[in-house]
DNA sequence: CTTTAATATAAGTATATACACATATTAATT
DNA sequence: AATTAATATGTGTATATACTTATATTAAAG
């Protein structure tokens, strides 16, 4: 039957496509890796994503939602909600700027101290990855990700 | 003041860490790329993630949630919900297996025809990436992602 | 100075994700 | 056969993500 042939083709195609698809593989690896970070940060009640965001808040001082959204490549509405989670945990404050449309985000003392606890945990994951995958492969991967995201940012 | 020094250190550290963090960069690139796929699939009302999942359903015939969850590296509960979205769209069916705990997932005719529309759209993105980033870099990235996910699966 | 346009953020809606726990079903033990 | 253990999936809860739309504020045009 023709339908069986089409099915068979689709069957093989789907496997090939899954292997070749940058999006699928990026996302799949992301799922696996984020679970590892989440485990590592569990003792201090943080998620991997929250660690990243808190680090960004620490790095870009008194930034607005819009300013933060650019280096993070995150939708402002998404960022707004993610910041609210950190605020609820008492790790950042949100204050109205001179321009009263803007909200300026600042890390709290509690946020700094959580970061100080988090850093060695992050480093543990990072070193474990470097150890098992090799420093060079990590560097390579980071370079490739950087190239790809640069390219995508221009769209 | 001491606190200023600490702040300054944290400031620089956060930038360095952001650049070096595999998790952050993987996720950031993922965000950017998935937006591109979502745009591409928009004409047929599909998201990038849904395309991947539907392809997997087509590839692993009559698979259960548990069986699908392994190659996708996705939590079974997550998969369960994602499959429900495809079912709501009429793209897959969910039927009780011989073992009545299991649910067997099957692509529908409508699902096949959506996939056939989706494939050229996917290919468009894939070729655009290969064109702009270079075939070799794509291959390299895929290899690195594969290595990393293999490593993470063993944890 | 008033109206209009631009900008910054939040809220509404939908999906993706995972962990912990609950439920149903099958397999294993005694 | 009855009880217990293992397995497959779904639900509750919380967060992450983005698009669209709403709201408030500032800037620009007239």
């Amino acid at each position: 039957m023709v339908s069986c042939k089409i099915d068979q083709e689709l069957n093989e195609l789907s496997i090939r496509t899954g292997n070749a698809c940058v999006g699928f593989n990026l996302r799949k690896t992301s799922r696996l890796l984020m679970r590892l970070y989440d485990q590592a940060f569990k003792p201090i009640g943080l998620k991997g994503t929250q660690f990243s965001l808190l680090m960004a808040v620490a790095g870009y001082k008194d930034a607005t939602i819009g300013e933060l959204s650019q280096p993070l490549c995150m939708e402002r509405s998404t960022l707004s909600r993610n910041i609210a989670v950190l605020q609820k945990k008492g790790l950042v404050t949100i204050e109205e700027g001179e321009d009263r449309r803007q909200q300026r985000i600042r890390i709290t003392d509690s946020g700094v101290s959580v970061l100080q606890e988090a850093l060695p945990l992050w480093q543990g994951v990072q070193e474990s990855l470097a150890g098992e995958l090799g420093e060079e492969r990590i560097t390579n991967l980071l370079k490739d990700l950087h190239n790809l995201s640069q390219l995508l940012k221009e769209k």
Side-chain angles (χ1 to χ4, degrees), chain A residues 37-85:
Chain A
Y37 283 106
D38 287 352
Q39 276 173 34
F41 291 128
K42 194 162 191 181
I44 57 172
L46 266 194
K47 297 244 189 184
T49 47
Q50 297 167 0
F51 168 74
S52 292
L53 182 50
L54 194 53
M55 285 296 275
V57 171
Y60 299 88
K61 300 203 171 191
D62 285 310
T64 64
I65 297 284
E67 286 163 0
L68 271 177
S69 76
Q70 288 186 289
L72 299 176
C73 305
M74 192 180 282
E75 276 296 309
R76 285 161 311 175
S77 64
T78 302
L79 185 53
S80 184
R81 285 182 158 108
N82 292 354
I83 286 288
V85 172

Side-chain angles (χ1 to χ4, degrees), chain A residues 9 23 77 135:
Chain A
E9 280 166 15
S77 64
E135 196 76 61

Side-chain angles (χ1 to χ4, degrees), chain A residues 3 9 28 32 38 76 88-89 95 97 106 108 111 115 126 140 154:
Chain A
S3 73
E9 280 166 15
K28 184 181 80 169
L32 286 164
D38 287 352
R76 285 161 311 175
K88 202 165 60 176
K89 287 172 178 270
E95 284 169 38
R106 196 178 307 165
T108 63
L115 267 193
Q126 186 80 1
N140 241 306
E154 287 156 18

Side-chain angles (χ1 to χ4, degrees), chain A residues 18 23-39:
Chain A
F24 170 65
N25 285 285
L26 208 53
R27 212 169 165 93
K28 184 181 80 169
T29 311
S30 213
R31 278 194 293 272
L32 286 164
L33 186 55
M34 291 320 285
R35 273 182 255 175
L36 190 65
Y37 283 106
D38 287 352
Q39 276 173 34

Side-chain angles (χ1 to χ4, degrees), chain A residues 123-139:
Chain A
Q123 204 163 359
V125 174
Q126 186 80 1
E127 281 170 6
S128 134
L129 290 177
E132 298 187 66
L133 204 66
E135 196 76 61
E136 195 188 327
R137 270 185 174 160
I138 298 282
T139 309

